[in-house]
Amino acid sequence: NAYPQRIMRLVSGSGTASFTASSTSPILTLNQTGSGLIAVLKDAGNTVFEIAKGGALTLTSTSSPQLTVAYDSSNYFNLDVTSVGSSTLASTGALNLTGNGASVWQTVSSPLTIKTNTTGDLLLSSADNFTEKFATSSAYSLYQGETARLAINTAGNITLVASSTIGLTGNTTITGNAT
């Protein structure tokens, strides 16, 4: 390096520390050549932020939100994690998730709910085929409001609510017994 290397040892104490630089070089470089953590930041002795070997970041906080990413004071999103592991990602604007590969939203042993909270449509759109798939031991129900309109039981039988009708247009073929 063109600039001189200096070794500095900081000793525990009270007060504040500040660094000022007017340079194109970094104001602070941390280089972990051993197997330990790269950095640990503590608040009253409790670890609140750490950088592990390889660069993995851990943010630990009981304050809410634990993470805010902001463009300005009006445009931001917050990430909260509760003591039981529930996570909430809240955005002040549109929230778009884009993946350039196969992507999965998954819950284990719990329902997954996607909803609009007060108004607005829920739109599922596909450039190719659209497939709804559920376990063979599961039933399928389609509701309008609180009223069930269509059901498919575990045997694959389709049921319509008594007040529903089926309208068929064009060439229609029904095989088997129709009553």
Side-chain angles (χ1 to χ4, degrees):
N1 292 333
Y3 55 93
Q5 297 287 321
R6 297 183 189 256
I7 298 175
M8 180 172 60
R9 179 179 296 276
L10 298 177
V11 180
S12 295
S14 61
T16 62
S18 65
F19 300 90
T20 303
S22 177
S23 170
T24 58
S25 299
I27 191 169
L28 177 65
T29 298
L30 303 175
N31 183 18
Q32 170 59 283
T33 58
S35 61
L37 298 171
I38 295 171
V40 175
L41 302 179
K42 295 188 174 199
D43 180 17
N46 298 312
T47 299
V48 294
F49 182 81
E50 70 181 28
I51 304 172
K53 187 81 173 158
L57 303 175
T58 302
L59 175 66
T60 305
S61 174
T62 56
S63 299
S64 181
Q66 282 87 6
L67 176 66
T68 299
V69 177
Y71 177 81
D72 58 28
S73 62
S74 300
N75 299 289
Y76 58 89
F77 75 79
N78 291 330
L79 177 61
D80 292 295
V81 180
T82 68
S83 62
V84 294
S86 298
S87 301
T88 302
L89 178 60
S91 175
T92 58
L95 181 61
N96 300 298
L97 303 175
T98 302
N100 288 326
S103 302
V104 176
W105 286 9
Q106 176 178 322
T107 63
V108 177
S109 303
S110 298
L112 174 64
T113 302
I114 301 172
K115 70 174 187 171
T116 58
N117 202 29
T118 53
T119 62
D121 296 334
L122 181 61
L123 173 65
L124 300 175
S125 177
S126 174
D128 289 318
N129 297 327
F130 182 75
T131 302
E132 291 185 64
K133 188 175 188 180
F134 47 92
T136 56
S137 60
S138 299
Y140 174 86
S141 297
L142 177 66
Y143 282 75
Q144 183 180 29
E146 296 299 315
T147 304
R149 297 293 183 192
L150 174 79
I152 303 173
N153 66 18
T154 56
N157 298 317
I158 299 172
T159 304
L160 293 175
V161 174
S163 61
S164 298
T165 59
I166 298 176
L168 303 174
T169 306
N171 297 330
T172 303
T173 302
I174 298 176
T175 58
N177 297 327
T179 56

